Amino acid sequence: MNKRNMLKGLLGLTLAVGAGMAHAAYPERPITMIVPWGAGGGTDATARMIATLLEKELDNPVNVVNRTGGNGVVGHMAISKAKPDGYTLGMLTVEIATMKHLGLTTITTADYTPLALMNEDPAGVTVSATSEYKDMKGLMEDIKANPGKLKASGTGQGGIWHIAIAGLVNNAGLPANSVPFVPSNGSAPAMLELAAGGIDIVPTSLPEARSMIDAGKAKPLAIMSKERSPMYPDVPTLKETIGSDWTVGVWRGIAGPKGLPDDVTAKLDAALKKVNESKEFRDFMSKRGFGVAYASGKEYGDYMAKSTADFGEVLKAIGMAK
């Protein structure tokens, strides 16, 4: 009996050691990275660069798969529903912080294991080059004195740039709908309409407004960030120009489904930090005018939770929260 128990014990120890060695070898097979948006866009390009560099850090293939549909819902849901073993990751985008508020899905940022924030592009307040407004103070005074007079555009109703301008005026103690928002198919057509005089404000990121700014057809009055943009260091923050603490922008980060093992999470965190700090990644982002940001683990989770709370407040104020 003692001999039998001893053999059982040795067998159990062997299996435990073998399992531990197998687990420690992560990753042992290719990793899939889900992108909720279509091929060729900024999110797709960023994800593919991260995947390429992550392959080098993990010495293992990382394959990008585009899962589109439902305004990003399909891909974000696929990431959250994947097996939490570290072999399916995904790129979360700012839309995940609005989806539940808009009634598009029940998933939230709490349904993921946050790994790393990789990119952030704050909203700017851009007006036509011929606009009478020289600074944010003058613009906000006119919005307060003449609610409904000025129109903004840059995305669809309830999109990030709608939230940006509505949140700005709401933060200033004004009705969130003080600046009517005209829906558009993105910042590019909105910037053309701005230059043509059809709208007054485009609250988009400075990289997206860059071509029109550099062409002398638009001018940025401020940036909705805690710090100035390296791209346009002369553009003040809202805090500097009107004393507002409102900050908002688009962001992208890497996450896995909720429940990733701690050791897998730690390995991915370390690898993504190296990717974020690499010259290849920073040069790639700079060339495209994208901002580089970084937050790992809990910090990234807290960042997403704050975005969700802030956006929910604004969407409620403009009557779009479900």
Side-chain angles (χ1 to χ4, degrees):
M1 183 65 69
N2 288 338
K3 187 176 181 180
R4 182 180 300 174
N5 288 339
M6 185 181 294
L7 289 172
K8 285 182 178 180
L10 289 172
L11 178 60
L13 179 61
T14 300
L15 290 174
V17 171
M21 290 176 64
H23 196 55
Y26 171 86
E28 298 178 293
R29 53 189 171 84
I31 295 170
T32 296
M33 182 179 291
I34 296 174
V35 178
W37 305 98
T43 298
D44 177 69
T46 301
R48 290 180 187 276
M49 173 53 69
I50 292 172
T52 297
L53 298 174
L54 194 58
E55 283 187 357
K56 298 177 182 178
E57 294 298 330
L58 298 177
D59 193 25
N60 194 77
V62 180
N63 303 313
V64 173
V65 175
N66 300 90
R67 294 289 299 275
T68 61
N71 293 317
V73 172
V74 172
H76 280 93
M77 185 168 287
I79 299 166
S80 71
K81 300 299 182 183
K83 185 177 179 180
D85 57 6
Y87 289 99
T88 300
L89 308 176
M91 174 161 275
L92 304 187
T93 61
V94 66
E95 286 78 13
I96 188 61
T98 66
M99 289 177 181
K100 186 174 182 180
H101 296 307
L102 293 170
L104 299 176
T105 181
T106 58
I107 60 174
T108 70
T109 57
D111 293 306
Y112 304 92
T113 298
L115 296 172
L117 173 69
M118 302 295 282
N119 155 253
E120 182 183 44
D121 288 310
V125 181
T126 305
V127 297
S128 168
T130 60
S131 172
E132 64 183 276
Y133 305 107
K134 307 301 180 184
D135 54 36
M136 279 301 300
K137 185 177 180 181
L139 179 65
M140 292 303 293
E141 286 175 349
D142 201 10
I143 291 172
K144 183 177 182 179
N146 301 285
K149 171 187 172 183
L150 303 179
K151 298 181 179 64
S153 187
T155 186
Q157 287 281 346
I160 184 60
W161 306 134
H162 186 188
I163 290 173
I165 191 67
L168 169 60
V169 297
N170 185 63
N171 183 262
L174 304 174
N177 290 315
S178 294
V179 179
F181 196 82
V182 180
S184 71
N185 290 322
S187 297
M191 290 299 297
L192 290 173
E193 190 66 15
L194 180 75
I199 56 173
D200 306 287
I201 306 167
V202 178
T204 188
S205 68
L206 295 183
E208 290 183 275
R210 184 178 187 175
S211 62
M212 297 294 279
I213 294 172
D214 292 351
K217 296 183 178 180
K219 59 183 178 184
L221 300 183
I223 187 170
M224 301 184 193
S225 174
K226 293 181 180 179
E227 299 177 353
R228 295 192 180 198
S229 167
M231 183 183 297
Y232 294 105
D234 293 334
V235 178
T237 66
L238 289 178
K239 184 72 172 181
E240 291 174 309
T241 184
I242 59 172
S244 173
D245 292 318
W246 176 249
T247 59
V248 67
V250 294
W251 51 260
R252 303 177 178 101
I254 304 300
K258 185 177 180 179
L260 284 187
D262 290 343
D263 58 337
V264 171
T265 298
K267 188 163 188 176
L268 289 168
D269 276 348
L272 286 165
K273 188 174 190 295
K274 288 183 179 179
V275 168
N276 186 280
E277 294 174 345
S278 70
K279 184 178 185 301
E280 295 96 325
F281 180 67
R282 298 200 169 220
D283 285 350
F284 172 87
M285 298 296 277
S286 176
K287 184 177 180 181
R288 285 155 182 77
F290 296 153
V292 174
Y294 180 76
S296 67
K298 184 179 183 301
E299 290 180 348
Y300 179 34
D302 291 344
Y303 176 95
M304 290 194 291
K306 184 179 186 303
S307 287
T308 302
D310 288 348
F311 296 170
E313 180 182 333
V314 176
L315 288 168
K316 183 177 180 180
I318 59 178
M320 294 193 68
K322 303 296 184 182

